Amino acid sequence: MIGFFDSGVGGLSILKNALEILPNHDYAYFGDEAYCPWGEKPKEFIIERSRLITKKLISLDAKVIVVACNTATVNVISTLIFERTVLPERLRSGGAARPEAVFWTPLRGGPPPPARR
């Protein structure tokens, strides 16, 4: 399963692209609408929410987690990897902060798809 999270529903457009590229996989999407937007929240709040969501996605057997949130991408990816909450090969960013990280995962095999422009 490929897990996605965002502070709201904006990441659904990234999920839509993933469904087109990898239609034969299961997906889970977590939009933290109860606390969105995250942009003005303190960094520690963003880190804690991301930890909880990431752990939930892992408990659902996510093999890859796509951080579909620019705020989380900027604030938490290095923290989650450092804490070993998630392994680097399991984490991808779908946000504009890391546009090179498109939906290539070890699940697909073969070379990664070309970047969309």
Side-chain angles (χ1 to χ4, degrees):
M1 186 264 286
I2 302 172
F4 286 73
F5 79 87
D6 191 0
S7 62
V9 297
L12 288 172
S13 62
I14 298 170
L15 173 60
K16 180 180 178 277
N17 289 335
L19 288 165
E20 292 170 5
I21 295 168
L22 300 168
N24 298 320
H25 290 284
D26 293 324
Y27 295 88
Y29 183 89
F30 191 103
D32 195 19
E33 292 182 333
Y35 295 101
C36 75
W38 286 0
E40 300 297 319
K41 302 281 194 289
K43 184 174 182 172
E44 191 51 45
F45 173 88
I46 297 164
I47 291 170
E48 189 55 34
R49 292 300 297 164
S50 296
R51 278 184 192 126
L52 291 170
I53 294 166
T54 299
K55 288 177 182 176
K56 179 62 177 176
L57 290 170
I58 289 170
S59 78
L60 295 172
D61 202 30
K63 303 299 185 208
V64 174
I65 296 173
V66 177
V67 180
C69 175
N70 287 330
T71 303
T73 298
V74 170
N75 286 283
V76 304
I77 286 182
S78 59
T79 300
L80 293 176
I81 292 170
F82 178 77
E83 294 175 342
R84 297 189 171 265
T85 303
V86 64
L87 300 173
E89 61 270 13
R90 209 181 225 190
L91 194 63
R92 299 289 183 267
S93 169
R98 292 203 35 214
E100 74 281 4
V102 261
F103 299 100
W104 170 244
T105 73
L107 300 174
R108 184 171 176 163
R116 292 186 171 187
R117 302 248 181 232

